[in-house]
Amino acid sequence: MAMASRNLHPYFPQYADTLLIKAEKAWHFLELHPNAVPELGYYPVKGVGGGDYPDPGGDSDDRAWANAELYKTTGNIKYDSLFRIYWATHPAVWGWNDFQHHQIKASLAYATTKQYPTDSTIKAQFLDQYKFYLDRTLIPQDDSNHYRNSYRSDVVAWIGWGSFAHSPKYAWDLVVGNCILKDSLYRKYAQINLNSQLGNNPQNICYITGLGSKSPKDPLQDPSLYDGVVEPVPGICVFGPFSHMSFANVYDAAVQGKDNLYPLGV
C-alpha cells in the first residue's frame, strides 16, 4: 500500500504514506466500534452556548466517505465493499448540513476514482442526482436572489450564520458540477456566486479580511486579537449580515435585549 500511495501521490510521498497508515488505523478503530458515540452526536454541557452538533441521522454517511477515500487511495476491495454497504443507506446527494452530512462527499470521492474499478450504476445515480441538485436548487435560487447568491433568501429567519459567506461553498458545488458533468454553465454560476462574497451584498463590503478597499476589521479570531498587529489576519471569511442571533447563551440574548437595541426598545 505504501507503493500505491507513492504512485498516486508524487508530492511528499513519505508524508502521504504516514497519513494513509493513520487513516487505516482510524478505520480499524471504527470497525471495532460500529455504533456512533454519543448516539445522537455531540451536545455541549449546560451553560456553553457555542452551538451543538447532533447527528440524529447516524454516521453511515461518514463511514461511507471514509471508505470511499480509502478505496480511492489503496484499491483495497475491502473498502469498496464497505463503501457500498454504508453508501446504500442514503440517496447519493442526501444531506443539508455540512457539519452533519457527508454523503455527497462520499459519492464524489467514489465517482471520481479512476485508478481502480468502480460501480457504474452508483456513479450514474450520483451524476443524475447531482445535476438535479444544481439545476433545480442552486441555479434557481441564484436567479431569484437579488444579490445572485444561491442561498435561500425567501425565508427571512434563514438569512444568517454565513448566508452570504456561503457563496464559496455554492461556488465549489458548481465548480464540481462543471468538472464532473462537463457543462460550462455551472462554472458561470460559480463565478457569479463569488460576487456576493467580494462586495455585491447589502453592506457593500468584502466579506474577506484584507481584501478590497472595504473589508472587516474586527473578526472574532484569536490570532487577530492577540498578535499585536492592528489589521486582522488576511484571508478570513466572515459571516456577513443575519436576521437575528441565537438566544442560546447570555451574550447573544443581551445583545438582542430591548435595552441594547437601536433605536431603543425597537
Side-chain angles (χ1 to χ4, degrees):
M1 280 182 282
M3 289 304 297
S5 175
R6 293 177 188 278
N7 291 335
L8 287 173
H9 306 291
Y11 302 105
F12 306 105
Q14 292 182 340
Y15 181 56
D17 289 341
T18 300
L19 295 180
L20 177 56
I21 291 171
K22 292 181 178 181
E24 293 198 289
K25 285 183 177 180
W27 175 251
H28 179 64
F29 174 86
L30 290 175
E31 283 188 301
L32 297 177
H33 301 82
N35 298 319
V37 180
E39 185 176 352
L40 298 179
Y42 170 75
Y43 284 86
V45 297
K46 185 177 180 180
V48 176
D52 56 300
Y53 301 99
D55 195 359
D59 66 354
S60 60
D61 54 319
D62 306 66
R63 292 171 182 259
W65 185 21
N67 280 283
E69 297 288 3
L70 284 167
Y71 178 63
K72 187 174 187 176
T73 304
T74 68
N76 188 329
I77 59 174
K78 165 189 171 180
Y79 299 127
D80 182 36
S81 299
L82 288 168
F83 161 78
R84 294 168 190 256
I85 293 172
Y86 290 114
W87 183 84
T89 61
H90 297 294
V93 295
W94 173 83
W96 55 92
N97 187 328
D98 287 339
F99 285 115
Q100 298 175 2
H101 307 133
H102 305 289
Q103 183 78 350
I104 291 182
K105 302 181 185 75
S107 300
L108 179 62
Y110 190 79
T112 54
T113 297
K114 299 179 180 179
Q115 186 81 359
Y116 308 110
T118 54
D119 188 322
S120 59
T121 301
I122 291 178
K123 183 175 180 178
Q125 287 182 27
F126 170 60
L127 294 179
D128 182 62
Q129 292 181 35
Y130 198 81
K131 179 175 174 58
F132 186 90
Y133 160 64
L134 298 181
D135 293 348
R136 302 297 182 89
T137 300
L138 291 195
I139 288 180
Q141 287 175 189
D142 185 287
D143 288 338
S144 64
N145 188 305
H146 291 298
Y147 297 97
R148 302 303 303 275
N149 187 323
S150 289
Y151 84 92
R152 284 190 62 179
S153 58
D154 58 316
V155 182
V156 174
W158 290 359
I159 300 176
W161 300 111
S163 294
F164 285 90
H166 284 173
S167 61
K169 186 269 181 188
Y170 299 128
W172 168 257
D173 289 345
L174 289 156
V175 167
V176 168
N178 175 59
C179 293
I180 64 177
L181 298 169
K182 311 302 181 185
D183 190 335
S184 60
L185 176 67
Y186 302 133
R187 182 176 61 187
K188 172 186 175 183
Y189 272 87
Q191 293 169 327
I192 292 172
N193 257 276
L194 293 175
N195 290 335
S196 60
Q197 180 86 24
L198 297 174
N200 182 33
N201 55 61
Q203 295 173 301
N204 191 32
I205 185 174
C206 176
Y207 292 142
I208 304 174
T209 59
L211 197 62
S213 59
K214 185 180 179 184
S215 61
K217 301 299 182 183
D218 297 293
L220 182 56
Q221 198 252 358
D222 285 346
S224 294
L225 293 174
Y226 302 116
D227 62 3
V229 180
V230 175
E231 293 292 322
V233 173
I236 300 172
C237 297
V238 301
F239 278 169
F242 49 95
S243 63
H244 67 285
M245 298 180 75
S246 167
F247 285 92
N249 61 59
V250 295
Y251 311 107
D252 289 353
V255 168
Q256 297 178 104
K258 289 186 177 181
D259 293 340
N260 293 319
L261 293 180
Y262 179 85
L264 183 64
V266 175

